[in-house]
Amino acid sequence: MNYKNFFWNIILLSSTLAFSIILPLNFIFHFRHDENLVLILRTIDVIFIADIVFTGWKYYSKTNEFFFEQGTGIRRYLSTWFIIDFISIIPILFIADNSFWGMIRLIKFFKLIQLMKLYKNREIRIAGVLSFLYFGFWFIQISHWLACGWLYFKGYEANLTHSDNYVRALYWTITTITTIGYGDIVPSTTAQMIYVMAVEIIGVGMYGFVIGNVANILSKKDPSKQQYQNNLDNLTSLIRLRKLPVELHQKLRDYYTYIYYQKFGYDEVNFINKLPKSLSSEVSYYIKKDLISKIPIFQEASREFVEGISLHLKPVVVVPNSYVFKEGDVAEEMYFVVSGKLKVLIDSDQKEIAELNDGDFFGEIAIFENIKRTASVKAMTYCDLYILTKQQYSKVTFKYPAIARLIEAEAKIRKDKL
Amino acid sequence: MNYKNFFWNIILLSSTLAFSIILPLNFIFHFRHDENLVLILRTIDVIFIADIVFTGWKYYSKTNEFFFEQGTGIRRYLSTWFIIDFISIIPILFIADNSFWGMIRLIKFFKLIQLMKLYKNREIRIAGVLSFLYFGFWFIQISHWLACGWLYFKGYEANLTHSDNYVRALYWTITTITTIGYGDIVPSTTAQMIYVMAVEIIGVGMYGFVIGNVANILSKKDPSKQQYQNNLDNLTSLIRLRKLPVELHQKLRDYYTYIYYQKFGYDEVNFINKLPKSLSSEVSYYIKKDLISKIPIFQEASREFVEGISLHLKPVVVVPNSYVFKEGDVAEEMYFVVSGKLKVLIDSDQKEIAELNDGDFFGEIAIFENIKRTASVKAMTYCDLYILTKQQYSKVTFKYPAIARLIEAEAKIRKDKL
Amino acid sequence: MNYKNFFWNIILLSSTLAFSIILPLNFIFHFRHDENLVLILRTIDVIFIADIVFTGWKYYSKTNEFFFEQGTGIRRYLSTWFIIDFISIIPILFIADNSFWGMIRLIKFFKLIQLMKLYKNREIRIAGVLSFLYFGFWFIQISHWLACGWLYFKGYEANLTHSDNYVRALYWTITTITTIGYGDIVPSTTAQMIYVMAVEIIGVGMYGFVIGNVANILSKKDPSKQQYQNNLDNLTSLIRLRKLPVELHQKLRDYYTYIYYQKFGYDEVNFINKLPKSLSSEVSYYIKKDLISKIPIFQEASREFVEGISLHLKPVVVVPNSYVFKEGDVAEEMYFVVSGKLKVLIDSDQKEIAELNDGDFFGEIAIFENIKRTASVKAMTYCDLYILTKQQYSKVTFKYPAIARLIEAEAKIRKDKL
Amino acid sequence: MNYKNFFWNIILLSSTLAFSIILPLNFIFHFRHDENLVLILRTIDVIFIADIVFTGWKYYSKTNEFFFEQGTGIRRYLSTWFIIDFISIIPILFIADNSFWGMIRLIKFFKLIQLMKLYKNREIRIAGVLSFLYFGFWFIQISHWLACGWLYFKGYEANLTHSDNYVRALYWTITTITTIGYGDIVPSTTAQMIYVMAVEIIGVGMYGFVIGNVANILSKKDPSKQQYQNNLDNLTSLIRLRKLPVELHQKLRDYYTYIYYQKFGYDEVNFINKLPKSLSSEVSYYIKKDLISKIPIFQEASREFVEGISLHLKPVVVVPNSYVFKEGDVAEEMYFVVSGKLKVLIDSDQKEIAELNDGDFFGEIAIFENIKRTASVKAMTYCDLYILTKQQYSKVTFKYPAIARLIEAEAKIRKDKL
């Protein structure tokens, strides 16, 4: 994020907003000769003129927010946003300050809407907050203009102050567009009735649109939470149909909860698969880097190897007291322990020959020889493992024979131990 | 569910709720010197202090509800919930009972909301009811506070009792946030109008949010019912496009209805496939245990074998008067009868050589030899069968040769009978 | 549909409805001594008693609507619906006609709701209409009871007739639950206000629920139409992205429209695949029967053969002026013309050697020999074809060698002609 | 689009609309003797009679809009739309102008609704606008009729002008169906209350339906935008779970943005795969034509070859500074550069031997020989490439050996260069 640009855009937005708030009030309450107001309007003029200079400079120095869509360069500017920027200062040039044509400055909103959308798409971490502000902004604008319209048609009551008159009109507007309609303030002339109909149709629609969008933002769930909820729903439905023992459905619930809080392997596979090859290996690398670096034999490996291997490691979770594999099973993959504690058992699980912890790997004999498992491995706690199958192992070691030799050496030592 | 914890949480919730109900009324009706009220407030104080002790003990004894996310131990407590628990008793320590700062006790809600969410996720059997209570709780809170706010701004009418005044304010609140807005009670001053606008915008939004969520809970269909409905919809649409005979579409409807009421094999395949290996075989075991135990040759099998086989059995439903297979068909799988009645026919269906009932199995010759079916099997009633293919049979018997010999022996006897 | 049962259910529904309409009016307007009313109530009593006899007989004679879920037999009845049927006639037995306990008869609704749901699921052709009636029924019930409640709390105006009083109350109810709330009729006492709040919360919710469900029924699109709409949407989006020639996108639109109006092969494949084997071949038979019967060589085939072949025929649409295949293409399947007109061309499409019409088949040489296409086939109009691949052809003819010989003979004749 | 037909349909729609607007006003305000009105009605009569002639001619000359569903010919017309067209002129024939039976002319709406739907489906480029007009049309019709109904039941106020009376009634209608219900105009008699209830139930429902549909049209997003949004959402969620370096998530965001603005390869694969063979190759041809024509060796190829190849080219995007492949990788496909700039590097990326630009192709050695990559290719900018795999290359060149020889020749020259 370019903070200089961002700061300027905030100034620009504030002044346009101020102008759009003042403009209709000006028409109704005839502030024409108020000195403060004239000062504000002159300041806005200066900001708008400065914006042309600043935007031109941004295009020239290629720090323009829109560069992605539109390219850069002064020429580019002159043929695109300059037109809007220029139109918005016409009223200043011709000093037609309070007339109807002063409204032309509102064209600046087009640029600001584009900028708001841009920031919403770009600052994806705070996209929700920005959407919220965006709709809040529109809600205030619409309410204000509709309230001013009502003051115009209804006429303001002379015995009330300006602000009381305005609050009354705004109160009527909000009461109407939320479809509450108390009926304490109602139209009396035909013109007023026509205005009210317009507010009822358009205002209610716009209010509903804004509310609907805000509701969408609020109800947008974290996808991992949504998946958790779905898993629990399916579990609930299964429990209703089939009589599973209470311990088993607690076990299942705990498994889903574990997955949800650890988020190990969550959705990564899908996300990574949709990316082009170069990006997928990079993302995969950064996600698994910390985990892979715990595994001793990979610590000396080159980044290229880790990238290569990380693309092929498939995350898997093992629940406590269950077997990763059993003595005699067909051996097709090796495992890396990311976290958790496992036991290696032989002689029908009667003898424990080793304990495995974070950073250990096991089952590697299966990768080199076509034999059955010579021992069982049982998880003591929830274990996050990475699986590497025989086929994928060959693919990676084919490229990086040095690391392959290292693993094979370690494997031989272990096998001899047995 | 830990009932001691649950009971304490209910007490905690009740007292916080009582406090949050009393607090705004206290401001408006100046109950300050009411003895009953003072007693209630003191009781709440005691409960809040007791909660610190109790929660500390829960963390210490590892029976804390939040252990999953946060670990256990007194240290953990002191760095997390203790902060909120402590802030909520500050007003007691400084004896600032009725002042604005008494409100600080409402911070306890943060803890209670977390607890409510936790129970909602944990007690999945009654998740719907808990969600309902959760939203009901919020609806009451919001209405109460908005009504108290209205009493504050509008002022209460001296010639009405306290409760009449409150009901009037609540009536106004409900009428407003449901967007009905009769208009019999309306704001008159500018301050009141501003309050009403706030209620209209926030209250209506919150009411809509609560109603929307309750509607979601109510309309959430049992997935098996939804599937039944979809099946009927698709059938209706097919019938409109193609002229199927009336009996056939009744047959189809009956089939879907049978599936729906029996729920045999409903969605299990999907559910089980998504679980890690160790859990999937266990779930599969419990779902199919009762059914498999009906099949004589499996009754003596070890649990491990039943787990192994249950993962490979695919549920299938056969409609009455239809063939499971016909003489001369290529034989690729064997069948286990879970429920229903079937006939074995030879000589072009002219001769019935056997009747099959719950617990029987058939088609096993196909598993051992590469021959065509030597007889037809026809369903007399709706039949729930499990299919075991040749490939999967080998996988299972490879591990459990004892049971394999048993089935082969039985198969030989049967074959000789023919 | 059993018309006798249906007719009786209508009578039962009408009398329960009548009772539920009269009951609250009775309380409010004190009709106690109205002779007509007494007559109606006595008639309802007779109908309720008759229902016990009739339902018992239905269970006994196994024509009961609920047989699917509950089995049949008098015993079954006595342990299920009889309880409700009996409770609903208790008021008659104890002659407590107008008292509060008369309400107990409303328990009959439980049975009727089950019956309504049953008919909705069973009569799938008119499920939409029945749902509509179902929600209409509830809407009337709720409005009526809420209106009567209002009359009770508000008191009726003595200077108005009964019906005017009722219409006023109903008008208030509808105005409130639709959230319009004119405010011409408002509560004045605290009790009334509490009643109004209940109506606002519950009534508005129920109205929203009914409206939401009716909207769902109305907006439920024919799935084939929905697919058509999706296809057009995707096309529109493609056209915006890429500059396709106007004729091509007309061609695509026409193709989708053709598919939509002809509905040839629409979704059948999916629908049939989800059915168990026995049902799928039967459905497949009836869908393709008329089409297959047009093909001369299949006219003498047995039903079993047609069922077998119909499962393997895959529908395909060819657009005008496009090639089904070209001279020199690898030949892997044969085609059956369901409708449309095609040309067989050789010598680089210069010579037309045959015209194909409904019921013809072509490409059969490819099935018997491993050769390339010896001619091109071009569609003159939109053509609905069925494809039969080499593999599937073998599967079917393996079972039905007679038909296989017929096709091969015809194929030889044609080949010799070339 | 047939502009003559379209123009006539507009005239027809306008006159039917005018008639439906005038009709109820006529009843209420008794315009019977107004000369202008009579003129309008007579003009409508003439248009309706002319429509019979024109539609008959359209059917005869096969330019009828409905030809797709209904076929053509005068006979067809007489048995379908003629019936409605004729009924709509009956009032003219019997000169029953202002009577209740004049309403029969409204039957013409059935035909117009069909025509509107037809245009909506046909003119898919402006389907959104047409839907909008369609619902706007219904909204105006409903409001007008309900307002006239209110005038009828309420009676018009004699001291107001016709138009003021009408505006008042319309104001009441809009206020009611938007559920605002100020309550300044309320029913007083029982008949009025019944009418109001009908408006409340039906009017509110219809308004909600119209608003809901308009909201759907407005919120319908361009599918490519929706995918972009989803991608960003998934990215946001991943970033929250895993600590990716800031540069990487900017890289990912830029990649998604690039894909969104370039729309290279967007969804085409899906769209094309669902079409029948003949259409898919044609669409594929037009989409990739411009791109393929940039590639020199394809410029002389026949259209048939380009169609063949275009079906097999898979679009792929490469991000800047990433490798398409590296020296020593297994070679399985060749690449065509659509846009972008790449470098060919050997000796562990130390020596640059070539630069590749739009229209170049590379990696072709892999297609002819089973060797590893002899050089690395690295993208300098975002690159849009087409991939052609070995298998698909053989399929295409098998049919077009001439082009195959050309590519092989070029490949040999390049290989010799190395």
Side-chain angles (χ1 to χ4, degrees), chain C residues 164 175 182 241-242 326, chain D residues 176 190 200 263 268 282 304:
Chain C
D164 279 358
T175 304
Y182 286 127
L241 296 182
R242 306 276 170 230
K326 283 190 190 173
Chain D
T176 298
T190 298
E200 285 175 346
K263 298 186 199 291
E268 288 161 22
E282 205 174 342
E304 285 193 328

Side-chain angles (χ1 to χ4, degrees), chain B residues 305-366:
Chain B
F305 174 80
V306 177
E307 266 193 30
I309 204 100
S310 67
L311 259 179
H312 291 293
L313 294 176
K314 224 188 78 194
V316 84
V317 169
V318 181
V319 298
N321 295 315
S322 75
Y323 289 88
V324 180
F325 52 71
K326 284 190 187 170
E327 226 177 315
D329 281 3
V330 177
E332 278 167 335
E333 59 261 319
M334 67 175 296
Y335 298 82
F336 299 94
V337 183
V338 175
S339 73
K341 215 160 114 180
L342 305 100
K343 274 182 191 164
V344 184
L345 304 161
I346 55 167
D347 296 342
S348 311
D349 302 358
Q350 308 231 301
K351 200 176 145 193
E352 189 188 323
I353 55 165
E355 207 182 86
L356 299 164
N357 287 301
D358 304 15
D360 287 339
F361 62 97
F362 61 93
E364 73 289 346
I365 306 171

Side-chain angles (χ1 to χ4, degrees), chain C residues 171-278:
Chain C
Y171 158 74
W172 173 84
T173 306
I174 302 287
T175 304
T176 298
I177 66 177
T178 52
T179 77
I180 291 167
Y182 286 127
D184 50 346
I185 306 173
V186 290
S188 45
T189 70
T190 297
Q192 285 169 25
M193 279 178 187
I194 290 168
Y195 180 70
V196 169
M197 282 192 270
V199 170
E200 284 175 347
I201 293 168
I202 300 162
V204 168
M206 286 197 285
Y207 175 72
F209 188 74
V210 166
I211 284 292
N213 275 286
V214 167
N216 269 346
I217 297 165
L218 289 178
S219 68
K220 216 179 205 173
K221 271 182 192 164
D222 179 15
S224 72
K225 182 159 197 181
Q226 216 165 333
Q227 197 180 316
Y228 178 46
Q229 209 60 55
N230 279 346
N231 282 334
L232 291 186
D233 281 357
N234 285 333
L235 180 57
T236 309
S237 143
L238 189 78
I239 287 167
R240 262 189 219 131
L241 296 182
R242 306 276 170 230
K243 278 158 237 143
L244 297 181
V246 173
E247 311 85 56
L248 182 57
H249 75 73
Q250 269 173 359
K251 217 168 171 178
L252 288 166
R253 197 193 62 203
D254 285 354
Y255 166 69
Y256 289 132
T257 310
Y258 178 80
I259 290 284
Y260 173 57
Y261 284 113
Q262 287 301 105
K263 299 187 199 289
F264 175 70
Y266 165 72
D267 237 10
E268 289 162 21
V269 179
N270 269 327
F271 184 84
I272 289 168
N273 282 349
K274 279 184 202 153
L275 290 173
K277 217 173 61 181
S278 55

Side-chain angles (χ1 to χ4, degrees), chain C residues 278 281-282 284-285 302-311:
Chain C
S278 55
S281 62
E282 205 174 342
S284 180
Y285 170 74
S302 67
R303 179 174 158 158
E304 285 192 328
F305 174 80
V306 176
E307 266 192 30
I309 205 101
S310 66
L311 259 178

